[in-house]
Amino acid sequence: MNGSSEEGIRLAKRVAALAGCSRREAELLIENGAVRVDGVPALLPQSRVHDHQKVEIEAGAKPEPVLPVTLLLHKPAGMPTENAQRLLVAANHHEPERAGMRFLPAHAKGQNCMTPLETGASGLVVYTQDWRIERKLHEDAGVMEHEVMVDVAGPVSPEQLVRFERSPARVSIGRQADDQTGLRFALKGARPGQIADLCDNAGLRILAMRRIRIGRVPLSGLQPGQWRYLSPHERF
């Protein structure tokens, strides 16, 4: 048996022969999740198959480009935003959404992070391939409201709370105990480091910070490290 037989042939070549289409069209069928090898979804056009393996193409599937998507990630505290994109893999897809939304490797390629967070903060970060979403978040960056839950050490006095009245943020107390206080910040045009500066000016030490909403889009039950798709009906 020669080497090429042992290695098999590229899946895209096999699919092109089966479907009677071009190699590029075969690649699109594979990237869209319309091809199975021995009953298992095959998503990489460059993977290799052997003659004895069964290759099937989903009935009615069309060789169309994968549509751009927007992914919403719960960035864990302590992870730099520039490293968080590595979490956009199938294993971290929010479980309740998996049944109705099929993750494709193309969904993680070319994603632009539009809403960075401080390394120490956790919460909602938006990645998108969609130029319309990118433009919206860029053009409305100065007026879009961010909601952030901030835990600070110790109690917060009325005098300290008053200091925030002269800031661009609306701040309220969510819960208060002897050792820490939970504050809710609603801030338009939020920038990394801005809430930390506001708290520092008020004499407050931050223990934890979590962004739970950007515009009208919530974190929506994601655990740290998990991500979900932006739904078609959601608008920032």
Side-chain angles (χ1 to χ4, degrees):
M1 185 178 291
N2 61 41
S4 60
S5 297
E6 291 176 357
E7 294 173 3
I9 65 171
R10 280 173 57 95
L11 178 59
K13 183 176 181 180
R14 179 85 171 267
V15 170
L18 279 174
C21 63
S22 70
R23 191 76 61 88
R24 178 55 186 151
E25 288 173 326
E27 290 173 351
L28 291 174
L29 287 170
I30 296 166
E31 290 171 358
N32 272 287
V35 175
R36 289 177 174 266
V37 176
D38 292 337
V40 179
L43 300 169
L44 301 176
Q46 70 272 23
S47 61
R48 305 189 81 84
V49 292
H50 295 85
D51 291 343
H52 67 270
Q53 291 184 285
K54 184 178 182 181
V55 177
E56 301 170 284
I57 303 171
E58 188 176 298
K62 296 181 179 180
E64 298 172 335
V66 178
L67 294 175
V69 295
T70 298
L71 306 181
L72 309 175
L73 172 73
H74 185 164
K75 185 190 84 66
M79 175 177 279
T81 298
E82 56 266 29
N83 295 342
Q85 190 164 347
R86 68 182 63 165
L87 298 174
L88 303 178
V89 296
N92 296 330
H93 189 185
H94 191 41
E95 189 69 39
E97 192 180 60
R98 287 189 193 183
M101 290 289 292
R102 178 165 52 191
F103 174 72
L104 303 173
H107 289 165
K109 293 179 181 178
Q111 286 285 354
N112 294 319
C113 177
M114 300 302 301
T115 55
L117 270 176
E118 300 93 328
T119 296
S122 67
L124 182 60
V125 175
V126 180
Y127 292 88
T128 191
Q129 301 168 328
D130 191 329
W131 66 269
R132 295 164 300 183
I133 298 294
E134 187 171 343
R135 185 176 68 180
K136 170 74 174 177
L137 291 173
H138 177 74
E139 292 181 350
D140 292 357
V143 296
M144 188 167 294
E145 187 173 82
H146 295 225
E147 185 175 353
V148 184
M149 308 305 291
V150 181
D151 291 336
V152 297
V156 175
S157 68
E159 292 76 20
Q160 287 173 308
L161 207 57
V162 165
R163 294 188 188 184
F164 291 115
E165 293 181 358
R166 296 188 295 273
S167 78
R170 291 185 289 112
V171 184
S172 58
I173 294 177
R175 51 186 169 75
Q176 184 151 312
D178 292 337
D179 59 338
Q180 68 176 254
T181 301
L183 297 176
R184 174 190 172 275
F185 280 72
L187 180 64
K188 292 184 178 180
R191 304 182 306 275
Q194 188 174 13
I195 289 177
D197 287 342
L198 293 174
C199 287
D200 188 54
N201 291 336
L204 299 172
R205 180 168 62 88
I206 293 177
L207 301 175
M209 185 161 52
R210 179 167 58 100
R211 182 163 59 194
I212 63 171
R213 178 175 57 83
I214 298 174
R216 290 171 286 179
V217 175
L219 188 60
S220 192
L222 292 176
Q223 296 302 308
Q226 290 184 332
W227 62 269
R228 69 178 180 89
Y229 289 97
L230 179 73
S231 300
H233 69 272
E234 290 183 293
R235 298 288 184 273
F236 285 101

